[in-house]
Coordinates of all heavy atoms in Angstrom, one line a residue:
R107 N 0.8 -1.2 0.0 CA 0.0 0.0 0.0 C 0.9 1.3 0.0 O 0.5 2.2 -0.7 CB -0.9 0.0 1.2 CG -2.1 -0.9 1.2 CD -2.9 -0.7 2.4 NE -4.1 -1.4 2.3 CZ -5.0 -1.6 3.3 NH1 -4.7 -1.0 4.4 NH2 -6.0 -2.2 3.1
A108 N 1.9 1.2 0.8 CA 2.7 2.4 0.9 C 3.5 2.7 -0.4 O 3.7 3.9 -0.7 CB 3.7 2.2 2.1
V109 N 3.9 1.7 -1.1 CA 4.7 2.0 -2.3 C 4.0 2.9 -3.3 O 4.5 3.9 -3.8 CB 5.2 0.7 -2.9 CG1 5.9 0.9 -4.3 CG2 6.1 -0.1 -2.0
P110 N 2.7 2.6 -3.7 CA 2.1 3.4 -4.7 C 1.9 4.9 -4.2 O 2.1 5.8 -4.9 CB 0.7 2.8 -4.9 CG 0.8 1.4 -4.5 CD 1.9 1.4 -3.4
L111 N 1.6 5.0 -2.9 CA 1.5 6.4 -2.3 C 2.8 7.1 -2.4 O 2.9 8.3 -2.7 CB 1.0 6.3 -0.9 CG -0.4 5.8 -0.7 CD1 -0.8 5.6 0.8 CD2 -1.4 6.7 -1.4
L112 N 3.9 6.4 -2.0 CA 5.2 7.0 -2.1 C 5.7 7.3 -3.5 O 6.4 8.3 -3.7 CB 6.2 6.2 -1.3 CG 6.0 6.2 0.2 CD1 6.8 5.0 0.9 CD2 6.4 7.5 0.8
E113 N 5.3 6.5 -4.4 CA 5.6 6.7 -5.8 C 4.9 8.0 -6.3 O 5.5 8.9 -7.0 CB 5.1 5.6 -6.7 CG 5.9 4.3 -6.6 CD 7.2 4.3 -7.3 OE1 7.6 5.3 -7.9 OE2 7.9 3.3 -7.1
S114 N 3.7 8.2 -5.8 CA 3.0 9.5 -6.1 C 3.6 10.7 -5.5 O 3.8 11.7 -6.1 CB 1.5 9.4 -5.6 OG 0.8 8.4 -6.3
A115 N 4.1 10.5 -4.2 CA 4.8 11.6 -3.5 C 6.1 11.9 -4.3 O 6.5 13.1 -4.3 CB 5.0 11.2 -2.1
R116 N 6.7 10.9 -4.8 CA 8.0 11.1 -5.5 C 7.8 11.9 -6.8 O 8.6 12.8 -7.1 CB 8.7 9.8 -5.8 CG 10.0 10.0 -6.5 CD 10.7 8.7 -6.8 NE 10.0 8.0 -7.8 CZ 10.3 6.8 -8.3 NH1 11.5 6.3 -7.9 NH2 9.6 6.2 -9.3
T117 N 6.6 11.7 -7.4 CA 6.4 12.5 -8.6 C 6.2 14.0 -8.3 O 6.5 14.9 -9.1 CB 5.2 12.0 -9.4 OG1 4.0 12.1 -8.6 CG2 5.4 10.6 -9.9
L118 N 5.6 14.2 -7.1 CA 5.4 15.6 -6.6 C 6.6 16.3 -6.1 O 6.8 17.5 -6.2 CB 4.3 15.6 -5.6 CG 2.9 15.2 -6.0 CD1 2.0 15.1 -4.8 CD2 2.3 16.1 -7.1
A119 N 7.5 15.4 -5.5 CA 8.7 16.0 -4.9 C 9.9 15.0 -5.2 O 10.3 14.3 -4.3 CB 8.6 16.1 -3.4
P120 N 10.3 15.0 -6.4 CA 11.3 14.0 -6.9 C 12.7 14.1 -6.2 O 13.4 13.1 -6.2 CB 11.5 14.3 -8.4 CG 11.0 15.7 -8.6 CD 10.0 15.9 -7.5
S121 N 13.0 15.2 -5.5 CA 14.3 15.3 -4.9 C 14.2 15.3 -3.3 O 15.2 15.5 -2.7 CB 15.1 16.5 -5.3 OG 14.3 17.7 -5.0
D122 N 13.0 15.0 -2.8 CA 12.8 15.0 -1.4 C 13.4 13.7 -0.8 O 13.0 12.6 -1.0 CB 11.3 15.1 -1.1 CG 11.0 15.2 0.4 OD1 11.7 14.6 1.2 OD2 10.1 16.0 0.8
R123 N 14.5 13.9 0.0 CA 15.2 12.8 0.5 C 14.4 11.9 1.4 O 14.5 10.7 1.4 CB 16.5 13.3 1.3 CG 17.3 12.3 2.0 CD 17.8 11.1 1.2 NE 18.3 11.4 -0.1 CZ 18.4 10.5 -1.1 NH1 18.1 9.2 -0.9 NH2 18.9 10.8 -2.3
A124 N 13.5 12.5 2.2 CA 12.6 11.7 3.1 C 11.7 10.8 2.3 O 11.5 9.6 2.6 CB 11.8 12.6 4.0
V125 N 11.1 11.3 1.2 CA 10.3 10.5 0.3 C 11.0 9.4 -0.3 O 10.6 8.3 -0.3 CB 9.6 11.4 -0.7 CG1 8.8 10.6 -1.8 CG2 8.6 12.4 -0.1
L126 N 12.2 9.7 -0.8 CA 13.1 8.7 -1.5 C 13.5 7.6 -0.5 O 13.4 6.4 -0.8 CB 14.3 9.4 -2.1 CG 14.0 10.4 -3.3 CD1 15.2 11.1 -3.7 CD2 13.3 9.7 -4.4
D127 N 13.8 8.0 0.7 CA 14.2 7.0 1.7 C 13.0 6.2 2.1 O 13.2 4.9 2.3 CB 14.8 7.7 2.9 CG 16.2 8.3 2.7 OD1 16.8 8.0 1.6 OD2 16.6 9.1 3.5
A128 N 11.9 6.8 2.3 CA 10.7 6.0 2.7 C 10.3 5.1 1.6 O 9.9 3.9 1.9 CB 9.6 7.0 3.0
L129 N 10.4 5.5 0.3 CA 10.1 4.6 -0.8 C 11.0 3.4 -0.9 O 10.6 2.3 -1.0 CB 10.1 5.4 -2.1 CG 9.9 4.6 -3.4 CD1 8.5 4.0 -3.3 CD2 10.0 5.6 -4.6
A130 N 12.3 3.7 -0.7 CA 13.3 2.6 -0.7 C 13.0 1.6 0.5 O 13.1 0.4 0.3 CB 14.7 3.1 -0.6
E131 N 12.7 2.1 1.6 CA 12.4 1.2 2.8 C 11.1 0.4 2.5 O 11.1 -0.8 2.8 CB 12.3 2.1 4.0 CG 12.1 1.3 5.3 CD 12.0 2.1 6.5 OE1 12.7 3.2 6.5 OE2 11.3 1.7 7.5
A132 N 10.1 1.0 2.0 CA 8.9 0.3 1.7 C 9.1 -0.8 0.6 O 8.5 -1.9 0.8 CB 7.8 1.3 1.2
K133 N 9.9 -0.5 -0.4 CA 10.1 -1.5 -1.4 C 10.9 -2.7 -0.8 O 10.7 -3.8 -1.1 CB 10.9 -0.9 -2.6 CG 10.0 -0.1 -3.5 CD 10.8 0.5 -4.7 CE 9.9 1.2 -5.6 NZ 10.6 1.8 -6.8
A134 N 11.9 -2.4 0.1 CA 12.7 -3.4 0.7 C 11.8 -4.3 1.6 O 12.0 -5.5 1.6 CB 13.8 -2.8 1.5
G135 N 10.9 -3.7 2.3 CA 10.0 -4.4 3.2 C 9.1 -5.3 2.3 O 8.8 -6.5 2.7
M136 N 8.6 -4.8 1.2 CA 7.8 -5.6 0.3 C 8.5 -6.8 -0.2 O 8.0 -7.9 -0.3 CB 7.2 -4.7 -0.8 CG 6.2 -5.4 -1.7 SD 5.5 -4.2 -2.8 CE 6.8 -3.9 -3.9
E137 N 9.8 -6.6 -0.6 CA 10.6 -7.7 -1.2 C 10.9 -8.7 -0.1 O 10.9 -9.9 -0.3 CB 11.9 -7.2 -1.8 CG 11.7 -6.4 -3.0 CD 12.9 -5.6 -3.5 OE1 14.0 -5.8 -2.9 OE2 12.8 -4.9 -4.5
A138 N 11.1 -8.3 1.1 CA 11.4 -9.2 2.2 C 10.2 -10.1 2.5 O 10.3 -11.3 2.8 CB 11.8 -8.4 3.5
D139 N 9.0 -9.5 2.5 CA 7.8 -10.2 2.7 C 7.6 -11.3 1.6 O 7.2 -12.4 1.9 CB 6.6 -9.2 2.7 CG 5.3 -9.9 3.1 OD1 5.3 -10.7 4.1 OD2 4.3 -9.7 2.4
E140 N 7.8 -10.9 0.4 CA 7.7 -11.9 -0.7 C 8.7 -13.0 -0.5 O 8.4 -14.2 -0.8 CB 7.9 -11.2 -2.0 CG 6.8 -10.2 -2.4 CD 7.1 -9.4 -3.6 OE1 8.1 -9.5 -4.3 OE2 6.2 -8.5 -3.9
G141 N 9.9 -12.7 -0.1 CA 10.9 -13.8 0.1 C 10.5 -14.7 1.3 O 10.7 -15.9 1.2
A142 N 9.9 -14.2 2.3 CA 9.4 -15.0 3.4 C 8.3 -15.9 3.0 O 8.3 -17.1 3.4 CB 9.0 -14.1 4.6
K143 N 7.4 -15.4 2.2 CA 6.3 -16.2 1.6 C 6.9 -17.3 0.8 O 6.4 -18.5 0.8 CB 5.3 -15.4 0.9 CG 4.5 -14.5 1.7 CD 3.5 -13.6 0.9 CE 2.8 -12.6 1.7 NZ 1.9 -11.7 0.9
A144 N 7.8 -17.0 0.0 CA 8.4 -18.1 -0.9 C 9.1 -19.1 -0.1 O 9.0 -20.3 -0.4 CB 9.4 -17.4 -1.9
R145 N 9.8 -18.7 1.0 CA 10.5 -19.7 1.8 C 9.5 -20.6 2.5 O 9.7 -21.8 2.7 CB 11.4 -19.0 2.9 CG 12.8 -18.6 2.3 CD 13.7 -18.1 3.4 NE 13.2 -17.0 4.2 CZ 13.2 -15.8 3.8 NH1 13.7 -15.4 2.6 NH2 12.7 -14.8 4.6
A146 N 8.4 -20.0 3.0 CA 7.4 -20.8 3.7 C 6.7 -21.8 2.7 O 6.5 -22.9 3.1 CB 6.3 -19.9 4.3
A147 N 6.5 -21.4 1.5 CA 5.9 -22.3 0.5 C 6.9 -23.4 0.2 O 6.5 -24.6 0.1 CB 5.5 -21.5 -0.7
S148 N 8.1 -23.1 0.1 CA 9.1 -24.1 -0.2 C 9.3 -25.1 0.9 O 9.3 -26.3 0.7 CB 10.5 -23.5 -0.5 OG 11.5 -24.4 -0.8
Y149 N 9.3 -24.6 2.2 CA 9.3 -25.4 3.3 C 8.1 -26.4 3.3 O 8.3 -27.6 3.5 CB 9.3 -24.6 4.6 CG 9.0 -25.3 5.9 CD1 10.0 -26.0 6.5 CD2 7.7 -25.4 6.4 CE1 9.8 -26.8 7.7 CE2 7.5 -26.1 7.6 CZ 8.5 -26.8 8.2 OH 8.2 -27.5 9.3
A150 N 6.9 -25.9 3.1 CA 5.7 -26.8 3.1 C 5.8 -27.8 2.0 O 5.4 -29.0 2.3 CB 4.5 -25.9 2.9
R151 N 6.4 -27.5 0.9 CA 6.5 -28.5 -0.2 C 7.5 -29.6 0.2 O 7.3 -30.8 -0.1 CB 7.0 -27.8 -1.5 CG 5.9 -27.1 -2.3 CD 6.3 -26.7 -3.7 NE 7.5 -25.8 -3.7 CZ 7.5 -24.5 -3.6 NH1 6.4 -23.9 -3.4 NH2 8.6 -23.8 -3.6
H152 N 8.6 -29.2 0.8 CA 9.6 -30.2 1.3 C 9.0 -31.1 2.4 O 9.3 -32.3 2.4 CB 10.9 -29.6 1.8 CG 11.7 -29.0 0.7 ND1 12.3 -29.8 -0.3 CD2 12.1 -27.7 0.4 CE1 13.0 -29.0 -1.1 NE2 12.9 -27.8 -0.7
I153 N 8.2 -30.6 3.3 CA 7.6 -31.4 4.3 C 6.6 -32.4 3.7 O 6.7 -33.6 4.0 CB 6.9 -30.5 5.4 CG1 7.9 -29.7 6.2 CG2 6.0 -31.3 6.3 CD1 8.8 -30.6 7.1
A154 N 5.8 -31.9 2.8 CA 4.8 -32.8 2.1 C 5.5 -33.9 1.3 O 5.1 -35.0 1.4 CB 3.9 -31.9 1.2
A155 N 6.6 -33.5 0.6 CA 7.3 -34.5 -0.2 C 8.0 -35.5 0.7 O 8.1 -36.7 0.4 CB 8.3 -33.8 -1.1
G156 N 8.5 -35.0 1.9 CA 9.2 -35.9 2.8 C 8.2 -36.9 3.4 O 8.5 -38.1 3.5
K157 N 7.0 -36.5 3.7 CA 6.0 -37.4 4.2 C 5.5 -38.4 3.2 O 5.4 -39.6 3.5 CB 4.7 -36.6 4.7 CG 5.0 -35.8 6.0 CD 3.7 -35.0 6.3 CE 4.0 -34.2 7.6 NZ 2.8 -33.4 8.0
L158 N 5.4 -37.9 2.0 CA 5.0 -38.9 0.9 C 6.1 -39.9 0.7 O 5.8 -41.1 0.5 CB 4.7 -38.1 -0.4 CG 3.4 -37.4 -0.5 CD1 3.3 -36.5 -1.8 CD2 2.2 -38.3 -0.5
A159 N 7.3 -39.5 0.7 CA 8.4 -40.4 0.5 C 8.5 -41.4 1.6 O 8.6 -42.6 1.4 CB 9.7 -39.6 0.3
A160 N 8.3 -40.9 2.8 CA 8.4 -41.9 4.0 C 7.2 -42.8 3.9 O 7.4 -44.0 4.2 CB 8.3 -41.1 5.3
D161 N 6.0 -42.4 3.5 CA 4.9 -43.3 3.4 C 5.1 -44.3 2.3 O 4.5 -45.4 2.4 CB 3.6 -42.5 3.1 CG 3.1 -41.6 4.3 OD1 3.6 -41.9 5.4 OD2 2.3 -40.7 4.1
G162 N 5.9 -44.0 1.3 CA 6.2 -44.9 0.3 C 7.4 -45.7 0.5 O 8.0 -46.4 -0.4
N163 N 7.9 -45.7 1.8 CA 9.2 -46.4 2.1 C 10.4 -46.0 1.3 O 11.3 -46.8 1.2 CB 9.0 -47.9 2.0 CG 7.9 -48.4 3.0 OD1 7.9 -47.9 4.2 ND2 7.1 -49.4 2.6
R164 N 10.4 -44.8 0.9 CA 11.6 -44.2 0.2 C 12.3 -43.3 1.2 O 12.2 -42.1 1.1 CB 11.1 -43.4 -1.1 CG 10.5 -44.3 -2.1 CD 10.1 -43.6 -3.4 NE 10.0 -42.2 -3.4 CZ 8.8 -41.5 -3.1 NH1 7.7 -42.2 -2.9 NH2 8.8 -40.2 -3.2
F165 N 13.0 -43.9 2.1 CA 13.5 -43.2 3.2 C 14.7 -42.3 2.9 O 14.9 -41.2 3.5 CB 13.9 -44.2 4.3 CG 12.7 -44.9 4.8 CD1 12.5 -46.3 4.5 CD2 11.7 -44.3 5.5 CE1 11.4 -47.0 4.9 CE2 10.5 -45.0 5.9 CZ 10.4 -46.3 5.6
A166 N 15.5 -42.6 1.9 CA 16.6 -41.7 1.5 C 16.0 -40.4 0.9 O 16.5 -39.3 1.2 CB 17.5 -42.4 0.4
D167 N 14.9 -40.6 0.1 CA 14.2 -39.4 -0.4 C 13.6 -38.6 0.7 O 13.7 -37.3 0.7 CB 13.2 -39.8 -1.5 CG 13.7 -40.4 -2.7 OD1 14.9 -40.2 -3.0 OD2 13.0 -41.1 -3.4
A168 N 13.0 -39.3 1.6 CA 12.4 -38.6 2.8 C 13.4 -37.8 3.5 O 13.2 -36.6 3.9 CB 11.7 -39.6 3.7
A169 N 14.5 -38.4 3.8 CA 15.6 -37.7 4.5 C 16.1 -36.5 3.8 O 16.3 -35.4 4.4 CB 16.8 -38.7 4.8
R170 N 16.2 -36.6 2.5 CA 16.6 -35.4 1.7 C 15.6 -34.3 1.8 O 16.0 -33.2 2.0 CB 16.8 -35.9 0.2 CG 17.4 -34.7 -0.6 CD 17.5 -35.1 -2.1 NE 16.1 -35.2 -2.7 CZ 15.6 -36.3 -3.1 NH1 16.2 -37.4 -3.1 NH2 14.4 -36.3 -3.6
E171 N 14.3 -34.7 1.7 CA 13.3 -33.6 1.8 C 13.2 -33.0 3.1 O 13.1 -31.8 3.2 CB 11.9 -34.2 1.4 CG 11.9 -34.6 -0.1 CD 12.0 -33.5 -1.1 OE1 11.8 -32.3 -0.7 OE2 12.3 -33.8 -2.3
F172 N 13.3 -33.8 4.2 CA 13.2 -33.2 5.5 C 14.5 -32.4 5.8 O 14.4 -31.3 6.5 CB 13.0 -34.3 6.6 CG 11.7 -34.9 6.6 CD1 11.5 -36.3 6.4 CD2 10.5 -34.1 6.8 CE1 10.2 -36.8 6.4 CE2 9.3 -34.7 6.8 CZ 9.1 -36.0 6.6
G173 N 15.6 -32.8 5.3 CA 16.8 -32.0 5.4 C 16.7 -30.7 4.7 O 17.2 -29.6 5.2
A174 N 16.1 -30.7 3.5 CA 15.9 -29.4 2.8 C 14.9 -28.5 3.6 O 15.1 -27.3 3.6 CB 15.3 -29.7 1.4
A175 N 13.9 -29.1 4.2 CA 13.0 -28.3 5.0 C 13.8 -27.7 6.2 O 13.5 -26.5 6.5 CB 11.8 -29.2 5.5
L176 N 14.6 -28.5 6.8 CA 15.4 -27.9 7.9 C 16.4 -26.8 7.5 O 16.7 -25.9 8.3 CB 16.2 -29.0 8.6 CG 15.5 -29.9 9.6 CD1 16.3 -31.1 10.0 CD2 15.1 -29.1 10.8
A177 N 16.9 -26.9 6.3 CA 17.7 -25.8 5.8 C 16.9 -24.5 5.7 O 17.5 -23.4 5.8 CB 18.3 -26.2 4.4
L178 N 15.6 -24.6 5.5 CA 14.8 -23.4 5.5 C 14.3 -22.9 6.8 O 14.2 -21.7 7.1 CB 13.6 -23.6 4.5 CG 14.0 -23.9 3.1 CD1 12.8 -24.5 2.3 CD2 14.5 -22.6 2.4
V179 N 13.9 -23.9 7.7 CA 13.4 -23.6 9.0 C 14.2 -24.5 10.0 O 13.8 -25.6 10.3 CB 11.9 -23.8 9.1 CG1 11.4 -23.5 10.5 CG2 11.2 -23.0 8.1
A180 N 15.3 -24.0 10.5 CA 16.2 -24.8 11.3 C 15.6 -25.4 12.6 O 16.1 -26.4 13.0 CB 17.5 -24.0 11.6
D181 N 14.7 -24.7 13.1 CA 14.1 -25.2 14.4 C 12.8 -25.9 14.2 O 12.0 -26.0 15.2 CB 14.0 -24.0 15.3 CG 13.0 -22.9 14.8 OD1 12.7 -22.9 13.6 OD2 12.6 -22.0 15.6
S182 N 12.5 -26.4 13.1 CA 11.2 -27.1 12.8 C 11.2 -28.5 13.5 O 11.9 -29.4 13.1 CB 11.0 -27.3 11.3 OG 10.0 -28.2 11.0
P183 N 10.4 -28.7 14.5 CA 10.3 -30.0 15.1 C 9.8 -31.1 14.1 O 10.2 -32.2 14.1 CB 9.2 -29.8 16.2 CG 9.1 -28.3 16.4 CD 9.5 -27.7 15.1
E184 N 8.9 -30.7 13.2 CA 8.3 -31.6 12.3 C 9.4 -32.1 11.3 O 9.5 -33.3 11.1 CB 7.2 -31.0 11.5 CG 6.5 -31.9 10.5 CD 5.3 -31.2 9.9 OE1 5.2 -30.0 9.8 OE2 4.4 -32.0 9.5
A185 N 10.2 -31.2 10.8 CA 11.3 -31.6 9.9 C 12.4 -32.4 10.7 O 12.9 -33.4 10.2 CB 12.0 -30.4 9.3
K186 N 12.7 -32.1 11.9 CA 13.7 -32.8 12.7 C 13.2 -34.2 13.0 O 14.0 -35.2 12.8 CB 14.0 -32.1 14.0 CG 14.8 -30.8 13.9 CD 14.9 -30.2 15.3 CE 15.7 -28.9 15.2 NZ 15.8 -28.2 16.5
E187 N 12.0 -34.4 13.4 CA 11.4 -35.7 13.6 C 11.4 -36.5 12.4 O 11.7 -37.7 12.4 CB 10.0 -35.6 14.3 CG 10.1 -35.0 15.7 CD 8.7 -34.7 16.2 OE1 7.7 -35.1 15.6 OE2 8.6 -33.9 17.2
G188 N 10.9 -35.9 11.3 CA 10.9 -36.6 10.0 C 12.2 -37.1 9.6 O 12.4 -38.3 9.1
L189 N 13.2 -36.3 9.7 CA 14.6 -36.6 9.3 C 15.1 -37.7 10.2 O 15.7 -38.7 9.7 CB 15.5 -35.4 9.4 CG 17.0 -35.6 9.0 CD1 17.1 -36.1 7.6 CD2 17.8 -34.3 9.2
K190 N 14.9 -37.6 11.5 CA 15.4 -38.6 12.4 C 14.7 -40.0 12.1 O 15.4 -41.0 12.0 CB 15.0 -38.2 13.8 CG 15.5 -39.2 14.9 CD 15.2 -38.7 16.3 CE 15.7 -39.6 17.3 NZ 15.4 -39.1 18.7
A191 N 13.4 -40.0 11.8 CA 12.7 -41.2 11.5 C 13.2 -41.8 10.2 O 13.4 -43.0 10.1 CB 11.2 -41.0 11.5
A192 N 13.4 -41.0 9.2 CA 13.9 -41.5 7.9 C 15.3 -42.0 8.0 O 15.6 -43.1 7.3 CB 13.8 -40.3 6.9
E193 N 16.1 -41.4 8.7 CA 17.5 -41.9 8.9 C 17.6 -43.2 9.7 O 18.5 -44.0 9.5 CB 18.4 -40.8 9.5 CG 18.6 -39.6 8.6 CD 19.5 -38.5 9.2 OE1 19.5 -38.4 10.5 OE2 20.0 -37.7 8.4
A194 N 16.6 -43.4 10.5 CA 16.6 -44.6 11.3 C 16.2 -45.9 10.5 O 16.3 -47.0 11.0 CB 15.7 -44.5 12.5
K195 N 15.6 -45.7 9.3 CA 15.1 -46.8 8.5 C 16.2 -47.3 7.6 O 17.1 -46.8 7.2 CB 13.9 -46.3 7.7 CG 12.8 -45.8 8.5 CD 12.1 -47.0 9.2 CE 10.9 -46.4 10.1 NZ 10.0 -47.3 10.5

């Protein structure tokens, strides 16, 4: 929401340092939010793939998927437990 408003403010005051700084900060925040959403989606895909692999007795694949999930969310109990179970098989 802030980015379009600050873009408009920039057209009115193209050299205003406060507007330019606020616009840069808003864009950075928007990009960070998009990155967090992408990481969360990737984590969920790896967890789902790990569960499917474990259910199919493909434990090496399950371990790889749960490990990839842990690389994204290092403190995930679900990924830790899945990896431990897959490695035990």
